[in-house]
């Protein structure tokens, strides 16, 4: 075959391959354009849209996951429904965030324990450190919800939102409050304005801060309140989120988790009329490293009990005066000479939260009275 005849043949070949490349390129481009259009199409798998914040739901149990045997009675068992099922059961969640759910435990929160606390703290920190999530929601029983909220607020590093949510009625109850609470919790966890506000509790249209929130009623759905300062914001499905103040931006003090649980033993001793030293002596004999007094009034107790607390402090046991009274501050050196006894006062922290902070302080080797007292003073 002469060179000339070879040339047209080659030219024809190169024209065919150029056309083939063009056709393939065009096909590829239209595929990419289609895929992008589909993903961004509102309402179509909006949960898969790449621009939604990522919210990780960690389930621990509680009434929000509770199931009643029959609607006739109020009896139910908590922790029966999984986090995945809870997420699937609330319409519209996938329009708020890209959700993933994991089961940490399935317990009533009266059984909450250090093992679950450590698992929650490690998983949340890992999710933030590895940029797996923009916010976290923890579904939880209400009985100890305030303690878990406060514990996590004191050990988590970073400013991404963590929201603890529960409910007062089981998922199977008439007018269950769980689905609405979970929807609002995801709204808050997905909102960038929630950053830098510490761990929050969201129930019944209110956003409560970790330090102040407490359960104030045994059965009412409006049970969670912050007697010493009120909610930090409000949320509802129609009006969205309204925070009452800018994020403080204050670097919260946080404490390292010990390598292993359990946390140091700290007992709460409840004071009352005709109080003697027995509960304090029991705490000491069971190896308490700290004793929190749920005192009467401004953190007071009987002389007998005070003398026993003085002996405990002399043995190096950390003594914190808190109060059984639901609001107000416990003040140093009013009726009790804290400086002389070497006691700490809990300020506005309830006995159950003072216990958590005392555990973390001991675990982090903070034992000097002045340093301990500084740790209890809120940095608003
Ligand atoms: N079993 C209690 C708990 O899990 C019920 C209270 C609730 O979750 O509302 O805390």
């Amino acid at each position: 075959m002469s060179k000339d005849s070879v040339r047209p043949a080659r030219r024809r070949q190169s024209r065919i391959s150029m056309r083939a490349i063009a056709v393939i390129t065009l096909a590829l481009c239209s595929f990419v354009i289609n895929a992008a259009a589909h993903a961004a199409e509102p309402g179509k798998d909006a949960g898969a849209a790449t621009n939604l914040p990522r919210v990780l739901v960690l389930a621990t149990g509680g009434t929000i996951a509770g199931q009643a045997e029959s609607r006739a009675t109020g009896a139910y068992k908590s922790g029966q429904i999984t986090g995945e099922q809870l997420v699937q059961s609330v319409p519209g969640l996938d329009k708020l965030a890209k959700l993933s759910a994991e089961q940490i435990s399935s317990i009533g929160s009266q059984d909450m324990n250090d093992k679950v606390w450590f698992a929650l703290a490690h998983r949340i920190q890992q999710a933030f450190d590895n940029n797996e999530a923009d916010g976290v929601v923890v579904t939880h029983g209400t009985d100890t919800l305030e303690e878990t909220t406060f514990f996590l607020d004191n050990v988590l590093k970073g400013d991404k939102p963590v929201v603890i949510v529960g409910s007062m009625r089981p998922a199977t109850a008439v007018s269950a409050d769980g689905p609405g609470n979970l929807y609002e919790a995801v709204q808050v966890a997905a909102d960038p304005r929630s950053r830098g506000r510490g761990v929050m509790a969201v129930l019944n249209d209110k956003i409560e801060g970790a330090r102040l929130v407490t359960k104030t009623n045994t059965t009412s759905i409006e049970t969670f309140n912050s007697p010493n300062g009120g909610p930090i914001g409000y949320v509802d499905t129609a009006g969205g989120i309204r925070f009452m103040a800018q994020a403080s931006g204050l670097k919260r003090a946080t404490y390292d988790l010990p390598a292993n649980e359990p946390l140091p033993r700290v007992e709460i001793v409840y004071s009352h009329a005709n109080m003697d030293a027995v509960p304090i002596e029991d705490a000491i004999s069971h190896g308490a490293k700290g004793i929190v007094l749920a005192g009467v009034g401004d953190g007071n107790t009987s002389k007998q009990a005070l003398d026993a607390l003085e002996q405990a402090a002399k043995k190096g046991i950390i003594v914190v005066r808190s109060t059984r009274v639901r609001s107000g501050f416990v003040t140093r050196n009013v009726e009790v000479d804290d400086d002389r006894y070497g006691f700490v006062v809990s300020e506005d922290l309830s006995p159950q939260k003072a216990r958590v902070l005392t555990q973390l302080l001991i675990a982090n080797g903070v034992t000097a009275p002045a340093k301990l007292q500084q740790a209890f003073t809120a940095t608003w």
Side-chain angles (χ1 to χ4, degrees):
M1 182 186 293
S2 78
K3 220 192 263 170
D4 291 349
S5 63
V6 167
R7 204 171 285 122
R10 275 213 182 126
R11 253 205 296 279
R12 230 190 351 271
Q13 224 172 12
S14 72
R15 269 205 304 279
I16 291 168
S17 53
M18 287 302 285
R19 200 173 296 135
I21 290 168
V23 168
I24 291 166
T25 312
L26 260 179
L28 261 179
C29 287
S30 63
F31 170 77
V32 168
I33 290 163
N34 261 330
H38 175 74
E41 206 170 309
K44 258 207 183 311
D45 303 331
T50 49
N51 54 354
L52 283 175
R54 301 156 302 164
V55 170
L56 171 62
V57 177
L58 299 177
T60 68
T63 298
I64 193 169
Q67 217 154 27
E69 275 77 42
S70 86
R71 287 184 193 277
T73 70
Y76 70 87
K77 202 164 172 345
S78 55
Q80 301 306 297
I81 298 169
T82 67
E84 186 62 46
Q85 289 168 323
L86 284 175
V87 167
Q88 295 306 329
S89 71
V90 180
L93 278 191
D94 64 353
K95 303 288 184 301
L96 297 173
K98 277 172 67 177
L99 288 149
S100 55
E102 296 174 14
Q103 203 71 26
I104 299 289
S105 63
S106 294
I107 57 172
S109 76
Q110 63 272 33
D111 288 319
M112 188 47 68
N113 55 67
D114 291 351
K115 202 173 186 60
V116 176
W117 275 6
F118 276 53
L120 278 173
H122 287 309
R123 183 66 189 103
I124 295 168
Q125 197 65 61
Q126 180 191 45
F128 288 158
D129 293 349
N130 299 347
N131 191 24
E132 293 173 50
D134 302 300
V136 169
V137 167
V138 177
T139 59
H140 195 289
T142 59
D143 287 356
T144 57
L145 187 144
E146 63 204 77
E147 293 172 63
T148 301
T149 305
F150 185 69
F151 164 73
L152 292 173
D153 190 54
N154 275 280
V155 298
L156 291 174
K157 276 61 174 176
D159 67 352
K160 286 186 176 179
V162 177
V163 177
I164 319 290
V165 64
S167 73
M168 292 302 285
R169 296 173 184 155
T172 49
V174 175
S175 72
D177 54 327
N181 288 350
L182 181 54
Y183 188 94
E184 293 177 349
V186 172
Q187 277 180 283
V188 175
D191 194 310
R193 290 172 296 165
S194 301
R195 291 185 73 134
R197 296 181 188 271
V199 178
M200 296 165 276
V202 169
L203 291 98
N204 198 40
D205 299 349
K206 286 188 285 182
I207 308 170
E208 306 280 0
R211 187 178 176 97
L212 300 182
V213 68
T214 188
K215 188 172 183 178
T216 62
N217 187 287
T218 55
T219 55
S220 159
I221 60 170
E222 58 182 4
T223 181
F224 280 95
N225 292 288
S226 296
N228 273 332
I232 62 172
Y234 295 88
V235 53
D236 66 71
T237 44
I241 296 170
R242 297 173 176 92
F243 282 111
M244 306 308 284
Q246 290 302 321
S248 71
L250 276 175
K251 210 82 206 90
R252 303 186 333 274
T254 54
Y255 302 93
D256 294 336
L257 270 182
N260 304 297
E261 31 92 15
L263 289 166
R265 185 182 192 89
V266 173
E267 298 291 356
I268 298 174
V269 169
Y270 201 93
S271 191
H272 48 76
N274 201 29
M275 177 78 174
D276 62 21
V278 169
I280 292 147
E281 288 157 357
D282 279 352
I284 296 169
S285 67
H286 285 94
K289 300 284 184 283
I291 296 174
V292 173
L293 174 70
V296 293
D298 192 359
N300 295 319
T301 191
S302 67
K303 173 136 182 18
Q304 273 188 57
L306 210 50
D307 291 345
L309 288 172
E310 182 183 16
Q311 292 312 310
K314 283 185 174 146
K315 290 181 166 64
I317 293 170
I318 290 175
V319 175
V320 181
R321 289 195 304 113
S322 183
T323 176
R324 69 184 202 183
V325 175
R326 186 173 291 164
S327 64
F329 290 69
V330 177
T331 316
R332 283 188 74 79
N333 302 321
V334 176
E335 290 189 75
V336 176
D337 188 344
D338 296 297
D339 292 350
R340 180 165 79 85
Y341 287 121
F343 292 167
V344 179
V345 294
S346 72
E347 295 270 333
D348 54 322
L349 285 182
S350 62
Q352 53 271 32
K353 289 182 182 175
R355 172 179 171 273
V356 174
L357 183 52
T358 304
Q359 289 182 302
L360 291 171
L361 289 166
I362 294 169
N364 281 267
V366 180
T367 51
K371 283 266 179 242
L372 289 163
Q373 188 60 71
Q374 192 182 3
F376 273 85
T377 306
T379 49
W380 297 108

